[in-house]
Amino acid sequence: IVVKLQCLAIGIVARKLEKDEVLGILPIGAVRHGRRMLRSLLPPGVSLEQECQGTIGSDCVEPLTLIANELVTNAAKHAFNGRTSGEIRMGYQQRGAGWRFYVHDNGSGMPSQHSSSFGSQLVETLVGRMHAQLIYRTEGGTKVDVVCGTSAN
């Protein structure tokens, strides 16, 4: 069911993108549809908050959608074990010619040796294709930033 929901979320974003293809950008509001799908993956008591500003270039929509699916799914599965509540924050900020996308949770944090699973490899490959940088931090949970043309701060 997780894979099916992830595919549906990607399909919704792709359809929205087709409508705006002439502009080559996707208004952030179109991402809300994918967010609804991601929320359905969360355990009870875990919230997903969105903090988005700017527009996403059409060449980054698909990779960022896949990355969001992977990171939110990972947080939902692993970050809140043994807890009755938690929060995942997902955001996108356009900064001049650059941008920053992030998924942060207030869960248990990532082990110091995070795995080289298929999902991790997928995220790293997609980040590389966008010529962006992937930054992992563990401080009050797991914080993953994807930055392009700007700093992570």
Side-chain angles (χ1 to χ4, degrees), residues 77-150:
K77 284 183 184 176
H78 305 292
F80 307 107
N81 290 337
R83 291 181 47 181
T84 58
S85 65
E87 180 181 89
I88 300 171
R89 290 184 17 239
M90 176 176 71
Y92 177 88
Q93 299 169 332
Q94 188 174 0
R95 295 181 174 177
W99 52 264
R100 172 180 168 245
F101 172 80
Y102 60 90
V103 175
H104 296 173
D105 69 61
N106 65 351
S108 58
M110 242 176 19
S112 58
Q113 299 267 336
H114 65 274
S115 74
S116 59
S117 67
F118 173 77
S120 296
Q121 292 174 10
L122 174 65
V123 169
E124 290 173 13
T125 299
L126 293 169
V127 168
R129 286 185 184 167
M130 292 185 293
H131 306 288
Q133 180 183 8
L134 182 63
I135 302 166
Y136 287 99
R137 296 185 318 272
T138 301
E139 41 189 65
T142 298
K143 315 245 183 286
V144 182
D145 293 72
V146 179
V147 294
C148 186
T150 188

Side-chain angles (χ1 to χ4, degrees), residues 17 24-26 55-62 92:
L17 179 60
I25 59 173
L26 179 69
T55 55
I56 300 173
S58 61
D59 58 332
C60 293
V61 171
E62 186 177 343
Y92 177 88

Side-chain angles (χ1 to χ4, degrees), residues 17-36:
L17 179 60
E18 286 172 5
K19 292 179 182 176
D20 293 329
E21 193 171 341
V22 174
L23 300 175
I25 59 173
L26 179 69
I28 289 299
V31 174
R32 288 187 184 104
H33 296 287
R35 182 182 64 181
R36 276 187 230 132

